[in-house]
Amino acid sequence: MTIIDPQAPILVTGASGYVAGWLIKDLLAAGHTVHGTVRDPDKTSSVAHLRQMDQTAPGTLKLFQADLLQEGSFAEAMAGCQVVMHTASPFILTGITDPQEQLVRPALLGTENVLETANQTDSVRRVVLTSSVVATVGDAMDLRESGKNAITEDDWNTTSNAEHQPYAYSKTVAERRAWEMVNNQDRWDLVTINPGAVFGPSLAPGSKSASIDLLVQLGDGRAKMGVPALELGIVDVRDVAQAHIQAAFRPEAKGRYLTCNTSLTLMQMANILRGRYAGDYPFPTRTLPKPLVWLAAPMAGLTRDYVSRNVGFDLRFDNTRSKEDLGLGYYPAEQTLVEHFEQLAADHRV
Ligand code: NAP
């Protein structure tokens, strides 16, 4: 059992990110000292919201410069920390020209760097790694082929590679490496949070998180001709933040946690938003036939292989462990989507 001293500082890598914004807010609200790392602490658009939180919350935030690709970069920020929350990792789904350099290398090397520094930092007792559901399943068709009703923490993504589903591949190899590294020592333990697609209001105006852009696309007219029959596991960003915190401080937390509220198709997501906003936005009104999606895939930045293996298949995740061990209650999906969309509308992004 790992007992964490709540007075010790907590490292959050990728502090400028969408998920990290809520994580740091909740940690500061609970009075913790947070060491946040960013690539550029002087970039106002990435850190202004964090500095603002630091001024108003009971806890204390110190920002440090660190880059996933630089060996030893996290040492100064990790000094004295018992908990390391490693959220930093590139999350891009479009505009990928060099998957190895844009995704796989920073995800894998970054995890190795952070965990190697944990090995060298005597105070560290627990690492909470932000993985993803995509480390448990690559394509929706994999679930059908498994014969199971839902993906569980026992599952691993075995079908992604640097060319097919490179983001999923980057998360898979990074998480696998973390499980290898934890077994080579016995001072710190590892808990992974494996969230579905994250939605909900963002505190991080500088974030380019791909999940935010997906919601923008549903409301800005780009999807008005229709959407493919794609199903996503979805979760509220505030639940993901709580999952990390519970995973850090509950002594019995152990292993992987699928952190996913429910599954919705793109059309179901659009219907929820249309129900709320009626004719105010050009939400899609129909599901496109799979053969059409397959034909048009390259123009939409998708591969035909991706369409063949994902469109029209159910995708379900079993979140029992996250409820039982971490006590997650989960925001209703409708609230998550509506509150997020309200913010996008207020910011004129849709
Ligand atoms: P995000 O807002 O884009 O945050 C990603 C963070 O990673 C940013 O803070 C970014 O820092 C940092 N980063 C990227 N490359 C880096 C590098 N070379 N060195 C140092 N930092 C680097 O995305 P997010 O949605 O919050 O994602 C956070 C984590 O959750 C990621 O591990 C992601 O894979 C995981 N996740 C996200 C979702 C989702 O739907 N959003 C779902 C499952 C898992 P800069 O500001 O310096 O760029």
Side-chain angles (χ1 to χ4, degrees):
M1 291 249 271
T2 305
I3 310 287
I4 300 296
D5 174 2
Q7 304 302 322
I10 296 159
L11 174 63
V12 178
T13 71
S16 54
Y18 173 40
V19 167
W22 278 99
L23 183 48
I24 292 173
K25 182 177 195 289
D26 287 355
L27 287 168
L28 294 179
H32 294 289
T33 298
V34 177
H35 290 185
T37 67
V38 287
R39 270 186 286 190
D40 182 358
D42 296 323
K43 192 172 163 191
T44 310
S45 61
S46 297
V47 299
H49 65 291
L50 298 172
R51 296 204 191 280
Q52 177 70 27
M53 286 176 200
D54 182 36
Q55 279 169 17
T56 50
T60 305
L61 173 68
K62 289 185 196 160
L63 288 178
F64 296 80
Q65 196 281 334
D67 193 309
L68 294 171
L69 300 173
Q70 280 168 18
E71 208 182 315
S73 191
F74 293 87
E76 191 191 349
M78 204 183 290
C81 294
Q82 293 195 357
V83 172
V84 170
M85 296 185 175
H86 179 37
T87 82
S89 200
F91 181 26
I92 49 171
L93 297 174
T94 54
I96 301 165
T97 50
D98 186 345
Q100 192 62 36
E101 282 305 308
Q102 288 171 274
L103 285 162
V104 182
R105 202 163 84 90
L108 181 57
L109 196 63
T111 300
E112 285 174 348
N113 276 340
V114 169
L115 299 189
E116 194 45 53
T117 301
N119 283 340
Q120 291 160 14
T121 307
D122 285 344
S123 55
V124 175
R125 295 287 175 275
R126 177 164 285 178
V127 174
V128 181
L129 173 75
T130 319
S131 186
S132 170
V133 293
V134 300
T136 63
V137 61
D139 297 314
M141 189 178 176
D142 299 344
L143 175 60
R144 165 109 36 117
E145 286 175 348
S146 75
K148 296 167 67 169
N149 292 327
I151 298 293
T152 71
E153 284 86 355
D154 293 336
D155 292 303
W156 277 94
N157 173 351
T158 56
T159 56
S160 297
N161 56 52
E163 304 309 319
H164 176 69
Q165 302 268 44
Y167 168 69
Y169 182 63
S170 77
K171 297 302 287 182
T172 308
V173 292
E175 193 196 321
R176 277 199 185 278
R177 185 75 185 112
W179 286 114
E180 276 168 23
M181 288 181 75
V182 70
N183 288 331
N184 294 336
Q185 54 76 56
D186 57 12
R187 177 172 28 79
W188 52 270
D189 61 15
L190 176 69
V191 183
T192 69
I193 301 301
N194 297 65
V198 183
F199 299 102
S202 171
L203 301 172
S207 166
K208 301 202 167 43
S209 180
S211 57
I212 300 178
D213 190 54
L214 184 69
L215 202 61
V216 173
Q217 281 183 46
L218 280 186
D220 72 359
R222 274 181 283 172
K224 70 177 182 221
M225 301 301 284
V227 281
L230 278 173
E231 189 163 39
L232 308 177
I234 73 160
V235 62
D236 193 293
V237 65
R238 294 162 285 195
D239 289 323
V240 178
Q242 267 312 304
H244 283 75
I245 292 170
Q246 299 305 320
F249 289 104
R250 290 192 178 210
E252 68 281 11
K254 198 174 166 32
R256 312 172 88 193
Y257 288 100
L258 284 169
T259 306
C260 188
N261 175 19
T262 187
S263 294
L264 291 175
T265 62
L266 295 177
M267 199 61 226
Q268 286 170 324
M269 290 169 63
N271 287 341
I272 287 173
L273 295 172
R274 195 185 5 267
R276 176 66 178 241
Y277 294 99
D280 295 350
Y281 297 95
F283 298 117
T285 52
R286 67 182 189 123
T287 300
L288 299 169
K290 185 166 179 176
L292 184 66
V293 178
W294 187 87
L295 270 177
M299 281 183 290
L302 301 172
T303 66
R304 292 196 167 130
D305 211 16
Y306 171 82
V307 172
S308 300
R309 297 188 56 85
N310 288 279
V311 173
F313 294 101
D314 293 341
L315 191 54
R316 299 281 141 79
F317 298 94
D318 183 343
N319 63 10
T320 309
R321 287 194 84 234
S322 73
K323 290 186 196 164
E324 288 180 353
D325 284 17
L326 305 181
L328 291 189
Y330 288 113
Y331 277 77
E334 184 164 348
Q335 184 181 348
T336 301
L337 294 174
V338 167
E339 288 184 4
H340 195 171
F341 198 82
E342 255 163 36
Q343 181 188 45
L344 296 175
D347 292 347
H348 305 289
R349 291 189 64 184
V350 285

